[in-house]
Structure formats: structure tokens, C-alpha cells
């Protein structure tokens, strides 16, 4: 049972392609995963809120995310992907539509990484809106990205525990660098993606020590999500109920669990409720 107000802070909607076509430059084509299916899953799992993250298969067209937010009656917020030349009017329209951040990809299988100059230009434009940046990168790119990320004048949220390799243990360089980065209080991290960093397979318990370490060390700056519908998983497609059950090991302390699922996402995505 999840606490009241629990938030899935990382999930997606794909299509339906007949209404929201996929981007021509995409590197993968997912099956349709519409808002109705996501909302039904959340009702079954006891999740009351969510953050919809724009995925690369839809490119910079955020229409599917905005449509789902509009249908959610305030229960959803979103993270968009935008071009560097986006104007103030378009940003304000996205804000009115429930967008509260932008996402930058530096993941090899998703194509060419975001241009650092474009990242800086976009970051400067979204600061006045109070938005943050979500950063998705391969673990071996963190050393190169650290100086770029630290130069940005806003809150940054790291996806999927930095996509570390769970088989390499807590003392691996990539995880040590992630912990060092988290010493800067502008950085947050999502302790989701257990199925992505696991090398042991279901129920992905080899990912738990990484997630628990982050929750225990940085309880005020951690988020969690299902990552539904789990794009680009080649084997061991996770059961979302089992991922929810894993939270008992990731955040066994009830106060930490409440911050992870309720308090932290509320502060970041519904700040008007905490002011």
C-alpha cells in the first residue's frame, strides 16, 4: 500500500500514433501506450499523481503529454523536450499546459546527445519560469558532463540513478561521481530504473543498494517513478506491481518513503501547495 498522494514521477505516454505521430528522426518505435492505459494502471497501483516525461520517440512535439495532463484534472505535471530557439510565448503556453521542466538526453541508443550550447540557451530561458532540467545520460558520460551540468543555473534531476551498472558495486567510479554531484543541493535524482541498472534480472534486487543509498543520504532530493511503459527494455519487461513492491526495500523507513513519493514531488511539481 502506497501513502496517500503518492506520485509516479517518471512515466510516459506514447501515441496513439494515429493521433500523435512519432517523430521521423526517432531511434525506436514503441507500441501505443495512451493516457487511458496509464491512468488505469495508476488506479490499480494506488498512485494518485504523476509526472509525464517527454520521450525521444515523440521528439520536440509535446502534444501527447499536454493532452494527458489536460485530461488529468490537475493530477499530472509534465517535462517537455524543446528546441533551443523556443520563444517566451511558447514556453508560457507549455507552462499553462502543466509543463514544469525540460529533458536533455545524453544516451547513445537515443541518438546524438544534446548540444551543450543549446542546453545552456534553454536553461537560461526556463529559469524565470521556475522550471528544472531532467538529465538522462549513460553512466560513462558523467565525467564529461559534470562541468556542464554544474554550470547551469537551475535545479537538475538525474534520471535512473545515472544508469550505473549494478554488477559493478557501490564503489564503482560512476556511482561515486554521482554521489559527489549530489553534494551540490541543486541536484536531485530518480531512484527508478531498477530494471535498467540491474544485471541480475527480476525482481531487480541488485539495484536496491544503489537506490537505498541515495534515499538515505539525500532524502529531500529523491524521486521515484515506474518508467511505464518501459521503452527499450530488450528482456525482463518489469511488472509494475513488483516495482512498487521493491519500494519496501528501497525506502523501508516510512518517513523516507513519504518524502520519496509525496513530499518531494509535491515540492518540485506542485510548489503552490507548499508555499
Amino acid at each position: 500500500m502506497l501513502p496517500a498522494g503518492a506520485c509516479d514521477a517518471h512515466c510516459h505516454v506514447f501515441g496513439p500514433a494515429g493521433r500523435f505521430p512519432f517523430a521521423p528522426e526517432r531511434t525506436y518505435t514503441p507500441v501505443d501506450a495512451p493516457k487511458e492505459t496509464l491512468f488505469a494502471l495508476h488506479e490499480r497501483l494506488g498512485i494518485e499523481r504523476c509526472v509525464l516525461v517527454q520521450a525521444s520517440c515523440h521528439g520536440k512535439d509535446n502534444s501527447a503529454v499536454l493532452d494527458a495532463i489536460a485530461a488529468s484534472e490537475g493530477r499530472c505535471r509534465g517535462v517537455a523536450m524543446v528546441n533551443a530557439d523556443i520563444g517566451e510565448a511558447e514556453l508560457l503556453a507549455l507552462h499553462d499546459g502543466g509543463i514544469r521542466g525540460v529533458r536533455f538526453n545524453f544516451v547513445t541508443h537515443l541518438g546524438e546527445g544534446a548540444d551543450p550550447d543549446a542546453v545552456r540557451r534553454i536553461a537560461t530561458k526556463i529559469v524565470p519560469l521556475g522550471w528544472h532540467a531532467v538529465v538522462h545520460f549513460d553512466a560513462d558520460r558523467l565525467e564529461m558532463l559534470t562541468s556542464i551540468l554544474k554550470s547551469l543555473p537551475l535545479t537538475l534531476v538525474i534520471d535512473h540513478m545515472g544508469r550505473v551498472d549494478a554488477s559493478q558495486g557501490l564503489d564503482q567510479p560512476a556511482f561515486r561521481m554521482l554521489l559527489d554531484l549530489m553534494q551540490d543541493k541543486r541536484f536531485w535524482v530518480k531512484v527508478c530504473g531498477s530494471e535498467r541498472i540491474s544485471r541480475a534480472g527480476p525482481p531487480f534486487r541488485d539495484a536496491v543498494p544503489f537506490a537505498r543509498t541515495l534515499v538515505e543520504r539525500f532524502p529531500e532530493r529523491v524521486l521515484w517513478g515506474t518508467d511505464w511503459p518501459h521503452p527499450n527494455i530488450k528482456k525482463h519487461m518489469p511488472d509494475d506491481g513488483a516495482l512498487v513492491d521493491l519500494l519496501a526495500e528501497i525506502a523501508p523507513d516510512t518517513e523516507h518513503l513519504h518524502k520519496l513519493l509525496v513530499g518531494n514531488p509535491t515540492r518540485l511539481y506542485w510548489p503552490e501547495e507548499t508555499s
Side-chain angles (χ1 to χ4, degrees):
M1 295 294 294
L2 299 180
C7 177
D8 177 350
H10 190 104
C11 54
H12 310 283
V13 285
F14 297 148
R19 184 179 177 194
F20 303 110
F22 298 118
E25 69 275 15
R26 67 190 181 277
T27 58
Y28 67 97
T29 302
V31 298
D32 284 346
K35 62 181 182 293
E36 293 84 2
T37 307
L38 175 64
F39 293 166
L41 172 69
H42 283 162
E43 183 175 3
R44 181 175 180 85
L45 295 176
I47 292 171
E48 297 181 26
R49 285 177 160 177
C50 74
V51 180
L52 295 161
V53 178
Q54 176 77 351
S56 64
C57 61
H58 274 298
K60 306 301 194 304
D61 182 352
N62 299 283
S63 299
V65 166
L66 291 168
D67 173 74
I69 294 172
S72 73
E73 299 180 344
R75 293 180 291 108
C76 296
R77 291 286 187 263
V79 174
M81 294 179 68
V82 302
N83 290 309
D85 61 356
I86 190 169
E88 182 180 2
E90 188 177 352
L91 284 171
L92 289 172
L94 289 173
H95 188 86
D96 290 343
I99 299 298
R100 295 297 181 266
V102 294
R103 192 188 199 198
F104 302 114
N105 276 314
F106 300 92
V107 177
T108 301
H109 72 256
L110 297 178
E112 186 176 356
D115 176 70
D117 288 336
V119 169
R120 294 185 184 98
R121 288 173 61 193
I122 293 169
T124 300
K125 292 180 180 183
I126 67 175
V127 166
L129 294 169
W131 290 10
H132 61 277
V134 173
V135 189
H136 186 205
F137 53 78
D138 291 319
D140 61 3
R141 295 196 184 188
L142 179 54
E143 185 173 9
M144 177 271 292
L145 288 171
T146 294
S147 61
I148 298 171
L149 299 179
K150 284 188 172 183
S151 72
L152 301 177
L154 75 175
T155 296
L156 298 105
V157 181
I158 298 169
D159 274 344
H160 305 318
M161 296 181 273
R163 296 183 68 101
V164 297
D165 178 345
S167 70
Q168 299 300 307
L170 293 174
D171 198 42
Q172 63 180 283
F175 192 62
R176 292 203 310 269
M177 281 189 284
L178 176 61
L179 294 177
D180 287 344
L181 199 61
M182 288 295 295
Q183 297 302 320
D184 184 330
K185 292 186 178 181
R186 292 176 301 153
F187 286 87
W188 295 47
V189 64
K190 295 176 188 173
V191 295
C192 54
S194 293
E195 72 280 11
R196 297 188 182 279
I197 77 167
S198 172
R199 297 297 180 269
F204 314 117
R205 285 198 173 91
D206 55 325
V208 168
F210 299 88
R212 187 183 293 185
T213 296
L214 292 165
V215 167
E216 291 177 348
R217 292 196 186 185
F218 312 104
E220 307 289 342
R221 292 180 282 124
V222 286
L223 301 166
W224 173 89
T226 59
D227 196 25
W228 186 90
H230 313 286
N232 289 304
I233 295 293
K234 304 304 182 185
K235 64 177 183 177
H236 302 316
M237 181 59 70
D239 178 283
D240 293 283
L243 292 178
V244 168
D245 289 343
L246 210 58
L247 283 166
E249 299 179 47
I250 291 172
D253 179 89
T254 55
E255 183 177 352
H256 285 167
L257 183 66
H258 192 272
K259 288 180 178 179
L260 178 64
L261 297 181
V262 184
N264 294 346
T266 299
R267 284 193 294 120
L268 194 59
Y269 290 100
W270 290 270
E272 66 277 7
E273 296 183 9
T274 60
S275 59

